[in-house]
Amino acid sequence: MQLEALTRRLAETGVELRPEVSPAVSLMLTNALGRIIMMEKATGMTEAQAFVEQFLQRYESAVAEPEGARRANSDQW
């Protein structure tokens, strides 16, 4: 169900993943990262959370860009 939703949302927004990162791999990494962030918070560390927040800010900015600019910048991730 999550994989179907992610695949559909990627298509709706026009976001293209790198060929080596399938939606299934992206979903697995996202789920694992969520667990790591929770473990980090429990120990008082915040590096992973700061990284994810910075990445999401870059992603959200890229989604707001025109499609041609989005593709040109996609190799930065």
Side-chain angles (χ1 to χ4, degrees), residues 46-73:
T46 59
E47 289 180 43
Q49 183 176 356
F51 172 81
V52 170
E53 288 174 0
Q54 182 182 33
F55 179 85
L56 290 175
Q57 287 173 355
R58 287 176 48 196
Y59 170 78
E60 289 168 353
S61 295
V63 170
E65 291 177 8
E67 190 168 327
R70 184 180 326 141
R71 285 197 183 121
N73 292 330

Side-chain angles (χ1 to χ4, degrees), residues 1-29:
M1 184 172 10
Q2 289 178 333
L3 181 56
E4 291 172 9
L6 175 61
T7 303
R8 184 175 52 252
R9 187 66 180 147
L10 289 170
E12 290 171 358
T13 58
V15 173
E16 296 179 15
L17 298 175
R18 291 178 177 214
E20 65 272 15
V21 182
S22 69
V25 169
S26 179
L27 184 60
M28 184 270 309
L29 292 173

